[in-house]
Amino acid sequence: MKIARIETFLVPPRWLFCRVETDDGVVGWGEPVVEGRAEVVSSAVEVLSEYLVGQDPLRIQDHWQVLTKGGFYRGGPVLSSAVAGLDQALWDIVGKTYGAPVHALLGGPVRDSVRVYAWVGGDEPAQLTEQITEQVEAGFTAVKMNAAGPTSPVATAAETAAVVARVAAARDVLGPDRDVAVDFHGRFGAASARRVLAELAPLHPMFVEEPVLPEQSHLLPGLVAASPVPLATGERLFSRAEFLPVLNAGIAVAQPDLSHAGGISEVTRIASLAETYGALLAPHCPLGPIALAASLQVAFATPNFLIQEQSRGIHYNKDADLLSYVVDPEPFRFTAGQAHRGDAPGLGITVDENAVRAADRTGHAWRNPVWRHADGSFTEW
Ligand SMILES: [Mg+2]
């Protein structure tokens, strides 16, 4: 069996899918994307396809080596995400070829269901309360929220108090038996993060995410030492080598993205590395159905898994949502805040190819906003 054809599809709301077809007619799907840079990743997939077409799709480990290292220059979001999507598609093909779900090929399931969380937004505590109530009524046992919007270089007393008030409002609705995770999105500097973390501690967040920007990861040891709140990071890290220092720094939760960090192959290795530090895996996934399916396959087979992000109803999903491109919604039917293990081969989903081809004709040009302070200077989104 040989890889015969590789296509990409730019589909709303902000995703890129790839379709790998073999000369035997087996089709695998992947989601190689960097949010806001989808077209660039599409070009990278096209370049990597020059190597893959004509190869045996079952030799994933070898292809991963060549795709990641064979071009001399390596790493970074674009190349690692292109490899990630192709890797997902190859695992899908291997699973379909052997009639086995990917989690069976990764050593078999270690759990029957996977805890997932829902995103909640809302700038005002009242809006937030309403949204969390909806998610609790839908059965979710955990939610994640952004801590704040644009924030002063040193967060003011009012900005800090607003973060605490919003998380307190969340805790009020959730009670002590459900969880809230808080995403700092790298919007605070380390000094402000340290102050906010201390004030959030009594509200017992499950974890705080990206307390500092990835390029300031060298500051994490100090933050870990100062923070009673478990710290998480990893959506903007792309390999084991990049996770090693943050694990060494003492993060509690590693958040590689199946569509950024080298796919199923590399994320399972990152999970194993995290296990040696007693750190837990919570894959980042504000993306589409293929990335989520890949994430769930890893979650079913990973002992040190904590919780899975998913994008259903997320604020980004404007013109399409998680279920827009799948034939059967069952793999993403969450009950009591859990996704349930199936035995469908490969990634375990059936992509609605007609819907994908039709959406690609529209495409998208999603970009994240660029935020500025009142004085006109740039600030982190
Ligand atoms: Mg995040």
Side-chain angles (χ1 to χ4, degrees), residues 13-66:
R14 55 178 193 157
W15 305 331
L16 183 77
F17 296 163
C18 71
R19 178 186 183 278
V20 179
E21 184 177 352
T22 72
D23 56 0
D24 285 2
V26 182
V27 171
W29 289 88
E31 193 167 333
V33 69
V34 173
E35 304 92 306
R37 302 287 184 261
E39 305 92 326
V40 187
V41 182
S42 180
S43 291
V45 169
E46 199 179 317
V47 171
L48 295 175
S49 298
E50 290 171 8
Y51 171 78
L52 275 183
V53 170
Q55 300 285 338
D56 174 356
L58 305 185
R59 297 186 59 183
I60 298 178
Q61 179 76 271
D62 188 63
H63 298 325
W64 194 92
Q65 300 298 321
V66 174

Side-chain angles (χ1 to χ4, degrees), residues 11-324:
V11 298
R14 55 178 193 157
W15 305 331
L16 183 77
F17 296 163
C18 71
R19 178 186 183 278
V20 179
E21 184 177 352
T22 72
D23 56 0
D24 285 2
V26 182
V27 171
W29 289 88
E31 193 167 333
V33 69
V34 173
E35 304 92 306
R37 302 287 184 261
E39 305 92 326
V40 187
V41 182
S42 180
S43 291
V45 169
E46 199 179 317
V47 171
L48 295 175
S49 298
E50 290 171 8
Y51 171 78
L52 275 183
V53 170
Q55 300 285 338
D56 174 356
L58 305 185
R59 297 186 59 183
I60 298 178
Q61 179 76 271
D62 188 63
H63 298 325
W64 194 92
Q65 300 298 321
V66 174
L67 296 178
T68 301
K69 304 171 184 176
F72 184 65
Y73 295 99
R74 57 195 74 189
V78 171
L79 184 58
S80 302
S81 299
V83 173
L86 290 166
D87 180 88
Q88 293 167 8
L90 294 180
W91 277 99
D92 198 21
I93 288 173
V94 173
K96 286 169 177 168
T97 301
Y98 293 131
V102 169
H103 65 257
L105 303 173
L106 293 175
V110 295
R111 57 178 52 80
D112 300 318
S113 64
V114 162
R115 192 182 184 201
V116 295
Y117 63 80
W119 258 99
V120 288
D123 293 330
E124 298 300 325
Q127 289 176 314
L128 191 66
T129 297
E130 196 179 304
Q131 289 196 23
I132 296 175
T133 302
E134 263 174 43
Q135 300 297 1
V136 167
E137 282 169 1
F140 287 98
T141 61
V143 297
K144 191 166 84 182
M145 56 189 279
N146 277 320
T151 303
S152 301
V154 175
T156 63
E159 286 168 344
T160 303
V163 176
V164 176
R166 294 173 75 252
V167 178
R171 176 55 72 202
D172 271 351
V173 182
L174 293 165
D177 295 322
R178 300 185 190 88
D179 284 304
V180 58
V182 183
D183 192 348
F184 280 16
H185 230 246
R187 287 173 191 164
F188 303 123
S192 296
R194 194 178 295 113
R195 186 143 65 185
V196 176
L197 281 164
E199 295 203 20
L200 287 182
L203 297 168
H204 206 98
M206 179 163 53
F207 57 78
V208 158
E209 175 171 323
E210 286 197 325
V212 288
L213 292 165
E215 61 266 34
Q216 292 166 0
S217 290
H218 56 281
L219 299 175
L220 281 172
L223 275 178
V224 169
S227 175
V229 180
L231 299 184
T233 197
E235 70 191 67
R236 291 186 265 184
L237 303 176
F238 308 108
S239 65
R240 276 162 289 169
E242 293 186 0
F243 272 89
L244 184 61
V246 301
L247 289 165
N248 255 325
I251 61 156
V253 180
Q255 300 176 297
D257 187 311
L258 269 289
S259 282
H260 299 332
I264 291 168
S265 297
E266 184 69 354
V267 170
T268 53
R269 299 176 196 125
I270 291 166
S272 291
L273 181 67
E275 192 179 11
T276 67
Y277 287 85
L280 299 163
L281 187 77
H284 178 252
C285 192
L287 295 172
I290 305 168
L292 181 59
S295 301
L296 292 174
Q297 292 296 331
V298 170
F300 285 122
T302 297
N304 55 323
F305 168 83
L306 175 66
I307 196 162
Q308 180 61 52
E309 181 172 29
Q310 53 82 30
S311 78
R312 199 165 171 182
I314 201 170
H315 44 290
Y316 302 117
N317 291 356
K318 291 269 195 292
D319 303 318
D321 208 334
L322 189 61
L323 303 181
S324 301

